[in-house]
């Protein structure tokens, strides 16, 4: 006979393990109890002794760790993002020519510097920020995924409006997408080792990454075909597709924010990482290009290529994990930093764009007026001095013909 005996529910129970205690009124022979109910003792009068597990699960649900989004929104988002990725690559192909591809081979230094920033500095920066802000394993893995992605098409837009080297920008985006077939899986494997063993989530399959990047080259080739056959039409198509892509990405980000609302209320840390990451990337990219003595146009181009990642690709890979049911419910946390990053990189890019044009219109304009005024005054003084010199010469010098006429007149007047 036992009383006040503590035992744990056998693991065959479907509910999480809880500590129970038999009430004092239940004096039961333990051997008789287990013989009669060998698989469970849950049917007896028991009361909970420890609710820690249940509280932990509730807390996990509140922060998004156990949150599972509506699958219809996830499926719709996956279709949307895949279409957007195809349109992005067609638009990029419409701006590419054979001449641009040859340029990649003739300007290897700028392309190499861009690749170094893309697959060297960016993953390291994402790794450092994840540790510095002590992100959860799932959030950190999501950060590494976006950090290892190739360049995004928005970099071409920002390069154009800041008067950078647009041809180099398109070449670098294409080159980073091709290099990403090998570099992206390797960088994800290398930089996620700190969290993979602790995380309930899993990293995207390396086969999925490679297939996604290879498939993206097909619409890019189709866009190049359009550029080759109809160059004028290609420009208009690229413009329309860019507008559609921006609408699609905006819709994806909004739907993601709605579908994953609980996980965005978890902490301020992923917000700090998502907003600091592209800003530091712009700075590092510009400084590295300056160290390698690139031109001013190329420095701006490399800065944008470094800071703008292919957010659509990262979100597509994570969304695919959710659809496949891999990694458990905690995989939803991987969406946080890439989603916020999508908002952050656009807002910071437009902020830099506004500051650039404000600087150009106000400060450079004033400098231009001051320089013009100074040059005008200098020219005026120079012209006045030249006029004075000319007047002096005219007054002191007399031509031979005039002198001879004066001599004849004097001779006539004096006479013999």
């Amino acid at each position: 006979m036992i009383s006040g005996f503590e035992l744990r529910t056998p693991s065959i129970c479907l509910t999480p393990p809880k500590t129970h205690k038999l009430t004092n009124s239940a004096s039961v022979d333990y051997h008789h109890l287990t013989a009669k109910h060998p698989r469970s003792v849950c049917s007896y009068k028991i009361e909970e002794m420890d609710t820690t597990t249940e509280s932990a699960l509730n807390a996990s649900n509140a922060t998004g760790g156990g949150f599972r989004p509506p699958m219809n929104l996830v499926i719709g988002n996956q279709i949307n993002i895949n279409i957007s990725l195809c349109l992005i690559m067609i638009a990029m192909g419409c701006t590419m020519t054979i001449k641009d591809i040859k340029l990649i081979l003739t300007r290897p230094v700028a392309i190499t510097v861009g690749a170094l920033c893309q697959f060297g500095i960016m993953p390291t920066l994402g790794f450092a920020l994840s540790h510095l802000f002590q992100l959860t394993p799932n959030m950190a893995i999501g950060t590494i995924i976006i950090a290892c992605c190739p360049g995004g098409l928005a970099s071409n837009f920002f390069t154009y409006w800041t008067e950078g080297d647009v041809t180099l920008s398109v070449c670098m985006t294409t080159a980073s997408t091709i290099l990403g077939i090998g570099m992206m899986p390797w960088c994800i494997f290398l930089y996620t080792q700190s969290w993979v063993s602790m995380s309930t989530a899993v990293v995207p399959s390396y086969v999925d990454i490679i297939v996604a990047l290879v498939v993206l080259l097909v619409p890019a080739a189709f866009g190049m075909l359009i550029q080759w056959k109809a160059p004028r039409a290609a420009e208009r198509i690229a413009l329309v597709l860019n507008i559609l892509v921006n609408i699609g990405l905006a819709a994806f980000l909004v739907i993601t924010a709605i579908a994953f609302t609980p996980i965005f209320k978890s902490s301020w840390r992923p917000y700090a990482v998502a907003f600091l990451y592209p800003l530091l990337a712009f700075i590092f990219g510009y400084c590295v290009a300056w160290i390698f003595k690139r031109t001013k146009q190329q420095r701006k181009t490399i800065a944008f290529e470094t800071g703008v990642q292919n957010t659509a690709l990262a979100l597509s890979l994570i969304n695919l994990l959710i659809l496949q049911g891999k990694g458990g419910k905690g995989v939803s946390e991987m969406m946080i930093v890439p989603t916020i990053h999508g908002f952050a990189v656009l807002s910071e890019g437009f902020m830099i764009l506004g500051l650039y044009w404000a600087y150009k219109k106000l400060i450079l304009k004033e400098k231009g007026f001051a320089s013009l005024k100074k040059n005008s005054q200098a020219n005026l003084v120079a012209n006045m001095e030249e006029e004075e010199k000319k007047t002096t010469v005219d007054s002191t010098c007399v031509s031979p013909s005039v002198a001879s006429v004066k001599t004849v007149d004097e001779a006539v007047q004096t006479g013999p």
Side-chain angles (χ1 to χ4, degrees), residues 125 129 132-133 270-282 344 348:
L125 181 60
L129 289 175
L132 179 63
F133 286 91
Y271 288 88
V273 172
F275 277 90
L276 275 176
Y277 179 77
L279 186 60
L280 292 175
F282 292 141
E348 292 174 6

Side-chain angles (χ1 to χ4, degrees), residues 27-330:
S27 298
V28 185
D29 187 347
Y30 181 70
H31 297 286
H32 174 71
L33 182 148
T34 54
K36 186 176 180 179
H37 301 277
R39 293 191 177 183
S40 175
V41 295
C42 296
S43 59
Y44 285 87
K45 295 168 62 179
I46 56 178
E47 63 180 357
E48 295 184 8
M49 286 294 292
D50 186 7
T51 59
T52 304
T53 305
E54 185 175 1
S55 301
L57 287 175
N58 291 336
S60 179
N61 289 333
T63 58
F67 173 74
R68 188 175 291 278
M71 292 308 294
N72 58 339
L73 292 180
V74 175
I75 294 172
N77 249 0
Q78 188 66 24
I79 295 173
N80 175 28
I81 201 67
N82 287 341
I83 293 175
S84 297
L85 278 170
C86 289
L87 296 181
I88 286 173
M89 300 310 293
I90 293 175
M92 188 179 74
C94 286
T95 61
M96 286 284 293
T97 62
I98 301 299
K99 181 181 178 181
D100 295 333
I101 295 177
K102 292 180 179 178
L103 189 65
I104 295 177
L105 302 177
T106 58
R107 299 168 70 178
V109 177
I111 299 294
T112 304
V113 172
L116 173 64
C117 294
Q118 196 77 59
F119 298 109
I121 294 177
M122 299 315 297
T124 306
L125 181 60
F127 179 84
L129 289 175
S130 298
H131 277 291
L132 179 63
F133 286 91
Q134 299 178 351
L135 296 184
T136 64
N138 293 323
M139 291 182 189
I141 291 175
T143 304
I144 297 300
I145 291 174
I146 186 64
C148 295
C149 282
L153 194 62
S155 61
N156 308 149
F157 172 83
F158 291 130
T159 299
Y160 175 81
W161 285 105
T162 54
E163 301 177 316
D165 192 335
V166 179
T167 303
L168 176 62
S169 177
V170 175
C171 292
M172 287 180 64
T173 303
T174 307
S176 66
T177 303
I178 296 173
L179 289 173
I181 296 173
M183 293 301 299
M184 187 176 174
W186 165 248
C187 289
I188 290 177
F189 168 78
L190 181 65
Y191 287 95
T192 56
Q193 294 305 303
S194 298
W195 302 284
V196 168
S197 59
M198 302 183 291
S199 176
T200 56
V202 294
V203 298
S205 167
Y206 304 128
V207 175
D208 289 342
I209 297 172
I210 294 172
V211 169
L213 290 170
V214 171
V215 168
L216 287 180
L217 296 178
V218 176
F222 179 70
M224 291 183 65
L225 180 62
I226 296 174
Q227 166 62 232
W228 178 41
K229 294 294 184 180
R232 293 184 179 180
E235 293 181 3
R236 293 191 292 269
I237 291 172
L239 177 62
V240 173
L241 291 182
N242 273 312
I243 295 172
L244 293 176
V245 166
N246 288 328
I247 294 173
L249 289 179
F252 182 91
L253 295 175
V254 171
I255 293 173
T256 300
I258 295 172
F260 295 85
T261 299
I263 66 175
F264 289 98
K265 299 179 180 179
S266 57
S267 171
W268 59 270
R269 298 176 187 275
Y271 288 88
V273 172
F275 277 90
L276 275 176
Y277 179 77
L279 186 60
L280 292 175
F282 292 141
I283 296 172
F284 277 118
Y286 192 92
C287 291
V288 171
W290 177 78
I291 291 172
F292 281 89
K293 299 181 179 179
R294 298 294 89 200
T295 65
K296 194 172 184 179
Q297 276 191 322
Q298 291 182 351
R299 291 200 296 266
K300 289 185 285 187
T301 302
I302 293 173
F304 282 118
E305 283 295 323
T306 304
V308 179
Q309 311 295 112
N310 195 333
T311 306
L313 177 61
L315 292 173
S316 176
L317 292 171
I318 298 172
N319 210 60
L320 182 62
L321 286 177
I322 298 173
L323 283 175
Q324 294 173 343
K326 295 181 180 179
K329 296 181 179 180

